[in-house]
Amino acid sequence: MKPFSKFFTVLLTACMLFAAASPVFGANVNSQKSEEPAKKEESFLKYSQEEMLSHLGGVWKGSFHTRTAPGKYAEDEAQMSFIASSGNPRLFLVIDSYEANYLTPAWRIEDSELVFSFNDSYWSAMATLHFSDENTLAGTYAQYGEEFELQFEKLSSKPTDYSSQPQFIFEDEEYSVWRERLTKYPDFDPGSEKDFGTIPFTYELWRWDKSFPLVRDYGMADAIRGKSDVDQMIALLNLVCDNFRHDGSYGIPEGEDAAGLSAQTVINLCRQNGGIECRGLSIILSEMLRNSGIPAKPIMCIPSTDPCEECHVVVHAYSESLGQWIMLDPTYRLVLKDETGRYVDLPTLRRSLVSGAKLVANSNAGHNRMPFYMDFYRAYMTKNTFRFSCLTDFSYGSEGSENNQAQMLVPKGYPVPYAGSRPERVTTNAAAFWAPPQN
């Protein structure tokens, strides 16, 4: 819910396999030459592998021409830092938009060119660079089936070594610390009548009379017409992400100022500020879903620290056709599936983060239309799925009501801080907290 870091570091690092008659490779690359993005002119400087390593040493500045939507692009500034040690040469890439300190994709030097790739699956990108002069690397950058010119200029002959930095840091702590805390408390109580019994969640649906501007101005009726409930969820997720930008520096009213809070209130704030935090996006999407007849609610995903510096809010929407909750994350335009193709809810996400099970993202996922990086999201949600909180009543305008009781689900055995004076009603009863809507 705080702003994400504006600058993120992407590390391309690997041990090199080097021989005089062989190309130089990064980790996890076989010896077969990869297909090149485009046929290149032969008007660039030719160097041996040893000379390439020597000339690459230093810091280079450029930018990637990144697609943010069909026909729309942004310049994503980047720096490369190449450590030209013949025993262990390393390449680091720092990209403005990346929500990670580094990653370790494949790279190699071959035929007087530096070739590297980054990102996962659908978002995979490949760069091919050669020396046009001693201080300029030029070539191509291919992503989403498109290809663009790419150029880096040398800033310094002294490279920066990022290898001592952890891959992900949240609230000044490494990912490994957050993972250790999550795996220490992997389970919730299955639920019993003795533990608060049921939780009286309510969902007010089809209130187009209360939110007609929301329906009229954003084409909700056209977006959901003739679709299944799951396809409606995805259509409305895209509608929200197409129209509203995430910006964690702009929150929504709290306390008395939040009385009568609705999606329209949040939209007005978003338009005024040019963006809104994750909770605001989740309020907008939840109300659109409920107005389409789908029970939905924002759920706060909270780390183990209390108080915490930053958490995350997503949407849980219930599919009658599938008989399950589905997690939708409007900050990342994201809906997940497991390796069997089943849609993922929050309990499944948490179990997958504990066990390391595979998760598959939709092909158009990404923060503010930038490419999606699954390793970052897994690390980020490892921090944020320790416990969960949501309100009880999801009637129109009830989001800010002081009488709307918050419910908090905590893992079994977790010593809840300030247990006797918390504003939330605390439970370990997972069955009650994740119960399907009652007719």
Side-chain angles (χ1 to χ4, degrees):
M1 307 226 335
K2 284 187 177 180
F4 296 120
S5 173
K6 294 184 179 177
F7 298 95
F8 305 92
T9 305
V10 181
L11 164 67
L12 290 80
T13 182
C15 296
M16 302 289 286
L17 304 174
F18 180 78
S22 303
V24 180
F25 291 97
N28 301 320
V29 185
N30 60 37
S31 59
Q32 183 177 357
K33 183 179 177 182
S34 298
E35 182 179 349
E36 295 172 348
K39 184 177 181 180
K40 298 171 292 300
E41 297 180 1
E42 297 297 320
S43 59
F44 56 87
L45 301 181
K46 299 288 188 177
Y47 292 120
S48 69
Q49 292 168 3
E50 294 90 341
E51 290 171 332
M52 280 290 291
L53 288 173
S54 176
H55 283 80
L56 282 169
V59 178
W60 303 78
K61 183 177 181 180
S63 65
F64 294 99
H65 193 63
T66 302
R67 190 178 77 184
T68 60
K72 296 182 179 180
Y73 301 87
E75 293 302 316
D76 205 2
E77 293 189 2
Q79 283 194 9
M80 295 193 303
S81 181
F82 196 96
I83 299 175
S85 166
S86 60
N88 185 26
R90 285 158 288 161
L91 176 63
F92 302 83
L93 185 62
V94 181
I95 304 180
D96 277 4
S97 69
Y98 274 66
E99 298 173 312
N101 289 335
Y102 64 83
L103 56 87
T104 55
W107 66 281
R108 72 178 185 275
I109 296 170
E110 189 173 82
D111 297 336
S112 297
E113 292 182 318
L114 170 65
V115 182
F116 61 86
S117 60
F118 56 95
N119 284 351
D120 305 317
S121 59
Y122 179 80
W123 303 273
S124 179
M126 175 177 285
T128 304
L129 294 168
H130 56 262
F131 281 95
S132 59
D133 60 51
E134 290 189 354
N135 294 308
T136 305
L137 286 166
T140 58
Y141 162 66
Q143 189 178 40
Y144 304 128
E146 299 179 281
E147 185 175 273
F148 308 98
E149 292 183 356
L150 181 64
Q151 183 168 299
F152 279 81
E153 300 290 339
K154 196 165 193 175
L155 297 181
S156 169
S157 295
K158 295 182 178 181
T160 303
D161 188 349
Y162 295 95
S163 58
S164 62
Q165 295 186 12
Q167 187 171 15
F168 303 105
I169 300 177
F170 306 105
E171 299 184 28
D172 297 323
E173 292 190 298
E174 298 180 22
Y175 159 72
S176 59
V177 175
W178 297 108
R179 177 166 172 75
E180 181 180 354
R181 291 173 182 168
L182 188 68
T183 54
K184 184 178 179 181
Y185 297 95
D187 301 316
F188 296 88
D189 283 332
S192 69
E193 293 298 323
K194 294 181 181 179
D195 184 16
F196 297 124
T198 60
I199 300 175
F201 292 119
T202 57
Y203 308 89
E204 188 176 31
L205 310 179
W206 297 113
R207 290 308 305 265
W208 288 26
D209 58 317
K210 292 284 189 180
S211 53
F212 180 70
L214 188 70
V215 177
R216 177 195 62 205
D217 295 344
Y218 298 100
M220 277 183 53
D222 291 335
I224 66 174
R225 184 175 291 114
K227 292 182 172 68
S228 67
D229 57 359
V230 175
D231 288 341
Q232 287 182 39
M233 294 178 193
I234 295 171
L236 293 176
L237 172 67
N238 285 324
L239 189 152
V240 168
C241 295
D242 286 342
N243 286 279
F244 308 108
R245 183 178 181 275
H246 173 259
D247 188 334
S249 61
Y250 293 108
I252 60 177
E254 302 285 352
E256 294 181 358
D257 294 334
L261 186 68
S262 68
Q264 190 59 55
T265 310
V266 177
I267 287 171
N268 293 340
L269 289 170
C270 185
R271 292 300 188 205
Q272 175 183 329
N273 297 319
I276 201 70
E277 65 175 1
C278 55
R279 183 184 169 202
L281 293 176
S282 295
I283 289 172
I284 297 170
L285 178 57
S286 294
E287 188 170 313
M288 285 187 172
L289 288 163
R290 292 195 299 272
N291 282 334
S292 302
I294 298 172
K297 55 189 173 185
I299 294 188
M300 189 177 296
C301 305
I302 313 172
S304 54
T305 49
D306 199 344
C308 64
E309 292 184 16
E310 187 260 2
C311 63
H312 190 49
V313 181
V314 300
V315 173
H316 238 201
Y318 192 77
S319 167
E320 290 285 350
S321 64
L322 299 180
Q324 68 161 98
W325 291 102
I326 296 175
M327 187 202 79
L328 305 167
D329 189 340
T331 299
Y332 292 92
R333 195 191 290 256
L334 178 66
V335 57
L336 293 169
K337 291 183 179 180
D338 66 16
E339 58 187 349
T340 70
R342 181 184 184 274
Y343 283 102
V344 167
D345 56 16
L346 279 169
T348 303
L349 173 60
R350 192 183 195 275
R351 289 193 298 270
S352 298
L353 297 174
V354 171
S355 68
K358 182 179 180 180
L359 296 168
V360 180
N362 49 304
S363 64
N364 64 337
H367 180 243
N368 287 339
R369 305 189 182 210
M370 299 303 288
F372 181 73
Y373 182 38
M374 178 64 81
D375 284 354
F376 166 79
Y377 193 78
R378 292 186 73 111
Y380 180 61
M381 294 306 282
T382 294
K383 175 183 85 79
N384 286 326
T385 53
F386 187 85
R387 51 199 170 117
F388 304 94
S389 178
C390 70
L391 298 174
T392 306
D393 178 26
F394 297 96
S395 302
Y396 179 84
S398 64
E399 181 76 27
S401 172
E402 62 180 12
N403 297 319
N404 197 351
Q405 177 69 58
Q407 310 283 341
M408 178 177 285
L409 176 68
V410 300
K412 185 167 53 178
Y414 171 64
V416 180
Y418 321 111
S421 59
R422 301 191 68 88
E424 311 97 342
R425 189 181 189 187
V426 179
T427 183
T428 60
N429 186 344
F433 191 86
W434 303 121
Q438 300 300 308
N439 295 330

